[in-house]
Amino acid sequence: MDACGYAGACVPIETRTLSSRYSALSLARHALSDAPWPRAWGSPEPKSNYDVLIIGGGGHGLATAYYLAANHGIKNIAVLERAYIGSGNVGRNTTLVRSNYVIDGNTQFFEFSMKLWEGLSHALNFNVMLSQRGQIVLAHGPAQLDVLARKGNIMRLNGIDAELLDRGDVMRQLPYLDYSTEARFPIQGGLLQRRAGTVRHDAVAWGYARAAASLGVDIIEHCEVTGFVISQGQVTGVETTRGRILSGRTAIAVAGHSSHLAAMAGLRLPIESHLLQAFVSEPIKPFVDHVISFGAELFYISQSDKGGLVFGGHIDGFNSYTQRGQFPKVQTVAECAVALIPSISRLRLLRHWAGIQDMTPDGSPFICRTPLRNLYLDGGWCYQGFKATPAAGWCFAHTIAHDDEHPLNRCYSLDRFERGAELDDYGIGNWTYKQ
């Protein structure tokens, strides 16, 4: 058993001292000297052989490398990133973290992730800027309020904080929403998780990269995998744009490109890749204090530290790898924003972008071994990848180190559809909470 038990007694083990710690003392020392700050991570040349190769230098890949080194003592690790650290989905999301799930498996996993978020800045010696401002999911009718009540009860039975709000409670906490008689979607109440909130996505990538590198992990940027080395049903390495690299174990953690990488190894995954767009408005004074989820449509909004309103909606309805926004979705998401908060109708859109979502049939991910020996998969995260980063890295590291799934990710196997063990958290009346 790992340092985390399935029943929820999840306490991270003590991590090893980083080689160059950030502190008030180190800040003063550097202020009084001409010495530059050391680089957060280096640019090593790839070695010919590693114990573990992790394909994908996003949040999940970096977290996996860090926990392999910190929790399991494996040091001969390389993280291969085809572009630069932070260029993928870890830098292309709306930064939300929460644990308001319903189904066994999802409930425990995402609550463990929430607990890891709460101690992550200390563990990494890097401020990931966790802001537990609370998330309120809105209900626009009696049926939706009943669903939220059921959801809140399940959360509380699993030791997760949840508060059911009536219309008056929502009006007191979110006075800027449209409560008029002309409101397109009348607000009847909501569900509040106070521990939910936001995390700075870039800081997560940088923090994990720095912490992993300090433990001896090689972070190799601009190194694209072009194929796998396979012998007698076993993966023994990869072909890259920087040459062949052999490994004892190889892990795929490439978000929306999971099916593409798996196909190089001869595997066909039950995954489709779609774009999920995100938007930022021009900065304004502090206005939206919570994360708000719109019960009438898949729409979610919060305000960044710089003052911009950060929001998003559904995935685009077609397959794509472009990472560019699409104008029809801009209109749809803007309509949701104005319907919910009319006072922002004259704000200008500062920018928008897209991340690539790997969508599974049941909306739940894969963290598991594959049919090929020594090849492991972390993918299929749909709308949930960023908030799962710490727990995904923790459990994926355990799976790789022990060649066996951790109790918290045992249900995220590739064969669950054959066994009729789907984890459809959104098909049981739990609508519009995929953000």
Side-chain angles (χ1 to χ4, degrees):
M1 180 65 68
D2 202 359
C4 169
Y6 185 72
C10 302
V11 181
I13 66 175
E14 185 177 353
T15 57
R16 306 182 184 194
T17 302
L18 301 178
S19 59
S20 177
R21 292 192 62 83
Y22 293 149
S23 65
L25 181 60
S26 65
L27 180 63
R29 183 171 60 250
H30 278 276
L32 296 173
S33 73
D34 295 329
W37 285 95
R39 292 188 61 180
W41 62 89
S43 300
E45 289 296 319
K47 296 187 292 188
S48 61
N49 199 307
Y50 290 92
D51 293 334
V52 178
L53 277 180
I54 299 172
I55 307 171
H60 287 216
L62 293 168
T64 301
Y66 169 71
Y67 291 121
L68 276 169
N71 292 3
H72 303 284
I74 301 173
K75 297 297 184 64
N76 189 26
I77 302 169
V79 176
L80 308 182
E81 169 54 47
R82 71 171 184 170
Y84 59 89
I85 297 301
S87 60
N89 280 8
V90 71
R92 293 171 173 268
N93 59 78
T94 49
T95 75
L96 308 185
V97 296
R98 60 183 176 86
S99 59
N100 50 352
Y101 284 76
V102 174
I103 291 181
D104 270 348
N106 284 342
T107 304
Q108 294 86 357
F109 179 88
F110 284 97
E111 174 60 9
F112 177 50
S113 199
M114 194 72 239
K115 290 178 178 179
L116 289 177
W117 281 121
E118 290 172 326
L120 193 60
S121 293
H122 178 75
L124 300 182
N125 182 230
F126 196 95
N127 184 10
V128 299
M129 301 173 67
L130 172 66
S131 173
Q132 292 180 283
R133 60 190 68 184
Q135 181 197 28
I136 297 179
V137 181
L138 299 175
H140 302 280
Q144 288 189 333
L145 201 56
D146 286 345
V147 170
L148 291 181
R150 176 178 178 237
K151 182 174 189 172
N153 288 337
I154 293 172
M155 291 169 62
R156 290 170 66 87
L157 286 170
N158 282 277
I160 306 169
D161 61 304
E163 301 173 38
L164 190 65
L165 309 177
D166 61 22
R167 177 180 169 89
D169 295 328
V170 176
M171 291 180 71
R172 283 187 289 274
Q173 299 204 44
L174 310 175
Y176 44 83
L177 304 186
D178 188 358
Y179 301 99
S180 68
T181 56
E182 293 79 25
R184 185 177 179 186
F185 301 102
I187 296 170
Q188 300 294 321
L191 184 68
L192 167 64
Q193 185 184 16
R194 292 188 183 273
R195 291 167 55 241
T198 62
V199 178
R200 178 68 182 179
H201 44 26
D202 295 327
V204 173
W206 301 334
Y208 271 122
R210 173 179 173 271
S214 73
L215 294 176
V217 174
D218 283 355
I219 297 176
I220 304 171
E221 300 173 88
H222 306 290
C223 181
E224 182 175 359
V225 171
T226 58
F228 289 86
V229 182
I230 302 175
S231 175
Q232 299 179 341
Q234 176 173 318
V235 173
T236 58
V238 297
E239 303 286 356
T240 78
T241 52
R242 298 175 67 172
R244 173 175 288 191
I245 307 174
L246 300 180
S247 63
R249 296 181 180 183
T250 303
I252 298 174
V254 294
H257 291 276
S258 296
S259 56
H260 177 64
L261 261 292
M264 294 182 184
L267 301 177
R268 184 180 179 185
L269 301 181
I271 285 175
E272 289 188 353
S273 296
H274 293 256
L275 299 181
L276 181 64
Q277 296 188 50
F279 307 82
V280 177
S281 77
E282 61 183 316
I284 57 176
K285 291 182 178 180
F287 179 53
V288 178
D289 297 327
H290 302 76
V291 176
I292 306 169
S293 298
F294 193 24
E297 177 58 64
L298 182 55
F299 174 80
Y300 36 95
I301 188 168
S302 62
Q303 188 167 14
S304 73
D305 295 332
K306 294 182 178 179
L309 298 180
V310 183
F311 50 95
H314 274 293
I315 58 171
D316 288 358
F318 54 89
N319 305 129
S320 176
Y321 289 97
T322 62
Q323 292 187 313
R324 294 192 300 269
Q326 308 291 333
F327 284 114
K329 186 60 65 175
V330 176
Q331 178 181 352
T332 301
V333 175
E335 287 173 351
C336 290
V338 174
L340 183 63
I341 312 175
S343 59
I344 67 174
S345 62
R346 295 192 179 186
L347 283 182
R348 291 173 294 182
L349 191 64
L350 186 63
R351 64 183 181 276
H352 76 289
W353 65 93
I356 303 173
Q357 305 293 101
D358 45 348
M359 308 298 294
T360 63
D362 62 354
S364 292
F366 303 115
I367 308 178
C368 58
R369 294 166 289 174
T370 72
L372 290 171
R373 287 180 56 201
N374 295 335
L375 181 65
Y376 305 84
L377 173 67
D378 173 347
W381 283 98
C382 304
Y383 296 82
Q384 310 166 91
F386 181 72
K387 65 181 68 66
T389 299
W394 184 289
C395 294
F396 199 31
H398 179 280
T399 301
I400 296 166
H402 297 281
D403 194 34
D404 187 29
E405 284 74 19
H406 187 281
L408 284 171
N409 66 288
R410 201 171 299 282
C411 57
Y412 295 149
S413 62
L414 272 172
D415 66 350
R416 66 176 182 267
F417 300 107
E418 297 179 15
R419 297 184 287 106
E422 298 92 335
L423 289 168
D424 190 355
D425 221 272
Y426 312 113
I428 58 171
N430 186 28
W431 34 259
T432 197
Y433 304 141
K434 300 180 185 178
Q435 68 277 9

